Each structure stands twice: as structure tokens, then as C-alpha cells.
Amino acid sequence: MAARRPSTPWRPLLLALLLLLSPLGPVACAATGSNAAVGCGTGGVPCLQGTAVVELKTSKGTVELSLDGAAAPLTAGNFVDLVRRGVYNGTLFHRVVREPIPFVVQGGDPQSANPNTPVDLLGTGSYVDPGNGQPRLIPLELFLSGDSAPRYGEVLTGPGQQARLRLQHQRGAVAMARSADPNSASAQFYIALKALPELDGRYAVFGRVTKGMDVVDRISQGDKLISATVLQGGTLVRDAN
């Protein structure tokens, strides 16, 4: 490994800015950010009650995720629902960023399961609901300690708010990718390869890797997510009350 240059105060900030400007998620139409228009069952999206353990079988090995329905009920519920629908089976990890510093392993684009999809379109797909033919988009969901319920559709900007997040971007965190619109997450997700506090309050973490982080570290761009299965838990509800 090449020797690192001495750090300067502006370099970490510049690097974080460059990483954030590189789109994490799919290009999608705008979704509502109103709290009145979100919740369990809205748009056909259920919430996760309790926890769930999801197994990802990849071409590099097996990874287990623990999903937190208490801290991210809508986001985790969406993921479990898509797992049970088989949306992730046969998809690719289309974006892996390790240089200049470890960043993320990203996958879950439904269209990547089709080998005829052009490479330049990978990372632009959403889950399309077969019932209405429309993309399923979910709002940014953030739960702060001291709050009684998650906040929806609002990026955190207040001082000290990121430190109150119940789920933060630690190494192994699992979160939803999205476009510039905070309410455009759909099916694509990413796993943090290191702590990424610069993403806290901007992207919704909903779980973490509990087994197989060494496998995640070996995943390369183009590797396959062979199958995703709910092993434990996974109770879905459509009414938050």
C-alpha cells in the first residue's frame, strides 16, 4: 500500500463532499416528503415489527443482516417485503468503492438481474410494483433518541442531531441508496465498509451485518447476489398503531 500523505484539515471534508456528490442511488421521480402521506401500508409498503435476520448468498460467500424494525420500521419492512418477493435474487453488486478510502458495497438494482441490461444503466433501477406498474419509492426515515416516532422526508441539518440517531453509519451498517431526492429510495441498498458519519442524517440505515463482513470485504463490482432469504423474524404490519 502506498504511503499516505500527511493529512490536511480540508482533505477529509473535500473527500466526503466528492463521495456525496457521486450518486448512491437510482434516478427516480420525486416522492412526497409529507408526514401525512407516509406510514405502514402507505403505497403498499408494510412495516417491520420487531427484528428480522436476512441471509444474503453471494458469489463470494454468505452474509447475514440484522434488521431493526423498532428504529426503522418502514425502511426495514420495505426490504423484508422485497426479499420475500424475490426482487434481489440474481441481482448484481453494481457499485463497489474502496479507493481512495473504503466507502460502500452497493447492490439491489432489480434490473441488474437481467443480463441484457446495459452496464451504463446499472444503478438507475427501482422496484416496480406489478399491481400498478409504478416504481415503489419510500421516504427518508430517521429515528432520533428522545423522539416517539421516526421522522420522514427530512434530511437532518440541526446541530447535534446526527449524534441522536438510533442507527448510524458504523462499519457494516446497511442503508438505502437513493437519488438526490431524499424520498426516492426503492430497492437499492448499500453496506458501509467503514464508519461514514458524513452520511448520517442523509441516508436511512435500517440494519447491520452480523455475520460475513469478511465476505463483504471481498465483494467486487459485478459479483452476484444469488439469493436473499428471511431466516428469523420478519413480521410485517400495515398499520403503525
Side-chain angles (χ1 to χ4, degrees):
M1 178 181 297
R4 294 184 178 180
R5 296 179 181 176
S7 62
T8 56
W10 55 267
R11 287 190 69 206
L13 181 61
L14 178 60
L15 179 58
L17 179 62
L18 290 174
L19 291 175
L20 286 170
L21 289 175
S22 180
L24 268 178
V27 176
C29 299
T32 178
S34 169
N35 283 338
V38 299
C40 302
T42 302
V45 184
C47 280
L48 175 64
Q49 186 176 78
T51 61
V53 176
V54 173
E55 178 186 75
L56 305 181
K57 289 186 178 179
T58 80
S59 52
K60 289 293 176 62
T62 300
V63 179
E64 283 190 14
L65 313 177
S66 176
L67 310 186
D68 191 334
L74 187 67
T75 310
N78 174 69
F79 190 83
V80 168
D81 184 52
L82 296 183
V83 167
R84 288 185 169 150
R85 291 172 181 265
V87 171
Y88 296 117
N89 297 343
T91 57
L92 301 179
F93 293 100
H94 62 272
R95 183 174 187 237
V96 177
V97 181
R98 290 197 173 88
E99 298 295 340
I101 61 172
F103 189 47
V104 299
V105 168
Q106 183 177 333
D109 182 348
Q111 65 183 352
S112 70
N114 182 349
N116 295 321
T117 300
V119 173
D120 59 349
L121 291 183
L122 297 180
T124 65
S126 300
Y127 168 68
V128 176
D129 189 330
N132 57 27
Q134 298 298 313
R136 176 197 283 186
L137 304 178
I138 62 172
L140 177 66
E141 179 181 52
L142 303 171
F143 206 154
L144 278 64
S145 297
D147 287 358
S148 60
R151 303 181 185 192
Y152 292 100
E154 84 182 77
V155 172
L156 297 185
T157 56
Q161 287 185 315
Q162 285 85 351
R164 293 175 51 207
L165 283 167
R166 293 175 61 174
L167 296 175
Q168 299 178 6
H169 281 81
Q170 301 300 322
R171 171 171 158 81
V174 184
M176 292 302 291
R178 61 170 177 82
S179 68
D181 179 356
N183 301 310
S184 61
S186 181
Q188 294 186 49
F189 66 95
Y190 62 89
I191 299 172
L193 295 175
K194 64 181 291 290
L196 298 170
E198 63 270 25
L199 301 187
D200 285 338
R202 299 173 179 270
Y203 296 85
V205 177
F206 61 96
R208 61 189 178 92
V209 174
T210 50
K211 293 182 182 179
M213 194 62 200
D214 59 321
V215 174
V216 176
D217 287 334
R218 295 196 301 269
I219 290 175
S220 299
Q221 193 162 305
D223 283 341
K224 182 171 288 190
L225 201 177
I226 299 167
S227 65
T229 308
V230 178
L231 297 181
Q232 296 177 26
T235 300
L236 298 180
V237 296
R238 296 185 181 275
D239 186 345
N241 299 319

